[in-house]
Amino acid sequence: MRPVHPTPSGSPLAIGAKLRATRLAQSLTMADVAAASGLSTGFISRVERDETSPSVSTLVTLCQVLSLNLGSLFEPPENEVVALVDAPLINMGGVKAVEHLLTPRSEARVQLLRSVLEPGASGGQELYTINCDVEVLHVLRGSLRVRLVSGAIDLAEGDTMTLAGREPHSWDNESDGVTELIWTIVPAAWSGSS
């Protein structure tokens, strides 16, 4: 029996999107990268659209200009699915609330929480803050009263509210029905290994 050797994958290696995203995240133009690397903007554009395969030395140069680890271009994307049935229960301090963490515990960029609030559920009498830059609340079902220093705001099904990070607030389900919410917290208020 002859040994079986691995064969190359038939799928092209798509690194252009990672290079482009890194460049844009640093607010660099193609002209900036071209000037720093000695490459033409047209060539950089073709690389970013995966229309050409750069040499290893060219990739090293681009990565140096972008302060990007060369190996990160070849890592598979980090995608993780959290099924609702597997989402861990968390306690954000509310009463009559069942809350699940929908993003991986290790995700530090954003947190998504799903809250199911029974009638009379509350975030507490005292206003509280969350250590984040922005907090977004979307009402999937039911209604919610959000209490702020400046007063109360009533949200209905389908409404979305954006709060500045560290804005003192609390909430109450004053309705006779169940309220279901999605909270988005950016960046994550906490993270740890899952």
Side-chain angles (χ1 to χ4, degrees):
M1 180 178 251
R2 294 178 49 198
V4 178
H5 298 285
T7 58
S9 162
S11 60
L13 185 60
I15 59 172
K18 288 184 181 180
L19 290 169
R20 182 176 190 275
T22 302
R23 175 179 62 77
L24 293 175
Q26 297 176 38
S27 299
L28 295 172
T29 65
M30 279 192 230
D32 295 331
V33 175
S37 66
L39 301 168
S40 73
T41 55
F43 179 76
I44 293 168
S45 175
R46 288 190 305 277
V47 169
E48 287 187 357
R49 288 179 284 143
D50 290 312
E51 291 178 356
T52 189
S53 297
S55 67
V56 172
S57 63
T58 300
L59 273 180
V60 168
T61 300
L62 286 171
C63 287
Q64 287 173 338
V65 168
L66 297 171
S67 301
L68 180 66
N69 180 332
L70 180 64
S72 69
L73 290 175
F74 306 102
E75 294 173 352
E78 294 180 20
N79 300 317
E80 187 170 341
V81 174
V82 177
L84 181 57
V85 69
D86 297 326
L89 284 169
I90 58 169
N91 183 348
M92 294 292 284
V95 296
K96 294 188 175 184
V98 176
E99 298 175 307
H100 288 89
L101 177 62
L102 301 179
T103 47
R105 288 186 189 271
S106 59
E107 178 57 68
R109 297 166 295 184
V110 65
Q111 276 182 329
L112 208 60
L113 311 174
R114 178 180 177 266
S115 298
V116 177
L117 311 176
E118 295 297 323
S122 174
Q125 193 60 34
E126 298 294 319
L127 301 183
Y128 64 89
T129 60
I130 292 182
N131 185 24
C132 65
D133 293 333
V134 67
E135 187 176 348
V136 180
L137 161 63
H138 179 72
V139 181
L140 296 170
R141 176 172 56 127
S143 62
L144 189 74
R145 172 164 282 191
V146 178
R147 289 184 281 117
L148 306 166
V149 172
S150 59
I153 298 174
D154 291 318
L155 302 176
E157 186 172 309
D159 289 349
T160 302
M161 179 178 187
T162 302
L163 297 163
R166 300 166 196 87
E167 171 89 16
H169 65 284
S170 192
W171 49 266
D172 301 293
N173 179 6
E174 297 180 344
S175 74
D176 294 333
V178 172
T179 295
E180 194 173 339
L181 314 167
I182 295 290
W183 298 87
T184 304
I185 301 169
V186 179
W190 77 89
S191 67
S193 58
S194 45

